[in-house]
Amino acid sequence: PTPASTIGVVADVVGRGPGAFGGELSWYGYGGNDDFEKDLTAAQGEPVDVSIGMIPILAHARYRIATDDPLVPFVRGGLGLYNVRSRHEWNTGRTDRNSTDLGFVAGGGVEYLASPSIAWGGELLYQYVATSDEASNIITLRVQVLFGYPR
């Protein structure tokens, strides 16, 4: 699938050291892959539109790598549940499928301390979702704004 949009909330509880524990609640919306939709259209005999939505509810650990610079690299890993919804629509009908599957996330990124309480950042994540028919492997690049940023 091709990413269409995403929005979410990530919260961390930071101790005295560089580590933090937290959680994430997000929503991802994907459009169907053109080749996949073309194959379904050929099999169905009429145009088919595919959409996929995913809501991960994750717990994670984050480790910030100490630097004297306002640019702070970090690594992150987590585990949780992914609610996945897929919809196939065509002129004469549609099918919907929902499932809740176990998955994990791993990745890293960088945060830039813009002020004592706000940071800008970006991260590259690998997400694995153990869907029942075939596991989903998702690479996500995202930009974020962090409020209440501790240093």
Side-chain angles (χ1 to χ4, degrees), residues 18-19 62-69 71-75 109 151:
R62 181 187 309 255
Y63 182 83
R64 289 181 177 88
I65 300 165
T67 68
D68 291 331
D69 196 90
L71 207 56
V72 180
F74 67 88
V75 293
R151 186 64 177 181

Side-chain angles (χ1 to χ4, degrees):
T2 308
S5 57
T6 181
I7 189 167
V9 175
V10 176
D12 284 349
V13 175
V14 180
R16 292 181 185 259
F21 293 97
E24 176 180 348
L25 174 62
S26 299
W27 174 83
Y28 292 81
Y30 299 93
N33 176 290
D34 287 340
D35 291 336
F36 180 62
E37 286 183 347
K38 287 177 186 173
D39 291 345
L40 287 175
T41 295
Q44 190 73 24
E46 57 185 311
V48 177
D49 184 42
V50 177
S51 62
I52 299 168
M54 181 175 73
I55 300 173
I57 302 170
L58 305 170
H60 67 254
R62 181 187 309 255
Y63 182 83
R64 289 181 177 88
I65 300 165
T67 68
D68 291 331
D69 196 90
L71 207 56
V72 180
F74 67 88
V75 293
R76 177 166 90 103
L79 182 68
L81 297 175
Y82 289 76
N83 179 269
V84 180
R85 178 199 55 83
S86 65
R87 174 174 285 170
H88 298 186
E89 293 182 282
W90 58 96
N91 293 334
T92 57
R94 81 174 193 207
T95 61
D96 291 307
R97 181 171 165 231
N98 289 295
S99 64
T100 301
D101 305 297
L102 186 64
F104 71 86
V105 61
V110 65
E111 297 165 347
Y112 174 75
L113 184 59
S115 77
S117 61
I118 297 176
W120 296 90
E123 65 183 341
L124 181 64
L125 300 173
Y126 168 75
Q127 298 181 73
Y128 174 90
V129 184
T131 50
S132 60
D133 51 352
E134 184 178 321
S136 298
N137 297 285
I138 304 158
I139 304 287
T140 305
L141 176 63
R142 63 184 181 189
V143 176
Q144 53 198 7
V145 179
L146 304 124
F147 298 98
Y149 185 83
R151 186 64 177 181

